[in-house]
Amino acid sequence: MDKYVVRGGKPLFGDITISGAKNAVVAIIPAAILAEGVCRIENVPLVSDVLTELEILRELGVRADVVAPGVVEIDASRLHTHRAVSELNQKFRASYYLLGAFLSKFGKAEVSMPGGCNFGGARPIDQHIKGFEALGAEVFVEDGIIKAYTPNGKQGAHVYFDGVTVGGTVNVMLAAVLTPGLTVLENAAREPHIVDLANFLNYMGAEIMGAGTDIIRIKGVSKLHGCTYSIIPDQIEAGTFLAAAAAAGGSVTVRNVTPKHLEATLKALQDAGALITEGDDYVTLSRAGRILPTNIKASPYPGFPTDMQPQLAAVLTLADGVSVITDDVWDTRFKYAEHLERMGAQISVQPRQAVITGVSSLQGAEMSACDLRAGAAMVIAALAARGESVITNIHYVERGYENIIQKLRQVGADIELVSE
Ligand code: EPU
């Protein structure tokens, strides 16, 4: 079993180059199977989630190769199945994007029901299904497999999402892109990775307008071609390293970022006492004084990202007062609290909220990553703590952070991966 061993208490100084956005690429890879030609995708973070997704495509007969560092080629010309039900699909949540992609390409889809999740419970997909049905699909679940057919063909439609959903927006956008007529998605997610997916599809010949606003218009086209495309920088990875510098102190510059995508995170870090300077494609965070208590409310983009909420909680465990973190997206995403408490943090978890009473220092402890961002929060707390911490279950962290150990060591962190 692999674990991270962190000897904390040292400020961080230096530069880190940020990888491509994991949540963009896990939507763009299934989108690539819609092309009648080869898609070359660059700036791909080769994290385990991405490698699993490529493996799923290979199981289906798609050529899905890493042809150079950070470069993936996908050629789905030999894809003749609308069925993805292997064990890998059951384990990997984002494989449900194949539902939308298969519906678009073949007018039918059978994909394993996505598993639950460590913080979101059952994680419903009713809004994805609502969208597919609006386009003409009949959708039902049989033996743990979601089946969608379009016996009367598919047709563009108006879809109003009852709540903002990233996955629902992605899936229905994929389903609509090769569906005749106009599809209008209302109350759509506005995350940068939604825009990235729309840009990628448009490079392939799709006609998608309005991505980045809450109304997305998709004019169905009859075919899509291959293209070369570069994934946007990962704003959550960037925010995580900035949060590490805010917690441990020092001065860290993240490079290859889009500062605009980081706005809400930077505002929260500033409120917590960090000094921020930014350029076109970099952000520098310095923190020398005390961490200030800050209230944060996670909500869909452009709000503060839920995927940064645990990392900010780690920072605020050391604040000079009481902070309240509210998560309106995932109301039970606070499992990290009990692990940080082992380090001396004081966190009271309430429905939708964590109330954090800052302490003057944390002590190293043994912790177990319970999901991707919770694991990142534990790494941050361990970097700021006195003494040695051991973090197990790090496969969660490796799902979404490319070369996290090397990147942190580059800014002076004493962290190593120990394999047993
Ligand atoms: N929801 C429904 N019905 C649906 C879909 C969603 O009620 O049909 C609810 C969810 O239960 C949740 C809220 O809507 O309360 C938002 O869910 P959303 O669909 O936006 O989340 P997701 O697509 O499953 C993606 C990211 C998550 C990130 C969320 C929110 C990917 C692969 N995953 O999940 O990322 O937390 O959006 O921004 O893009 C992470 O990277 O650590 C991560 C968990």
Side-chain angles (χ1 to χ4, degrees), residues 245-262:
S251 178
V252 165
T253 298
V254 286
R255 299 202 175 273
N256 181 37
V257 299
T258 305
K260 172 87 188 138
H261 296 166
L262 280 155

Side-chain angles (χ1 to χ4, degrees), residues 3 49 81 85 120 127 135 164 166 197 220 239 275 318 361 402:
K3 58 190 183 185
D49 266 6
T81 179
V85 295
Q127 297 303 305
L135 299 183
V164 177
V166 170
L197 171 65
L275 194 71
L318 288 164
S361 65
E402 190 179 40

Side-chain angles (χ1 to χ4, degrees), residues 22-24 26 93-94 96-97 117 119-120 123-129 163-168 189 191 193 236 300 306-307 328-331 333 371-373:
K22 187 263 293 180
N23 285 347
V26 298
R93 231 194 120 69
Y96 66 7
Y97 289 152
C117 160
F119 57 81
R123 285 180 79 164
I125 58 163
D126 55 297
Q127 297 303 305
H128 306 227
I129 292 173
V164 177
T165 156
V166 170
E191 268 68 4
H193 33 292
I236 305 300
T306 170
D307 294 343
D328 277 349
V329 182
W330 302 115
D331 52 7
R333 196 177 202 174
D371 67 69
L372 168 58
R373 309 303 171 187

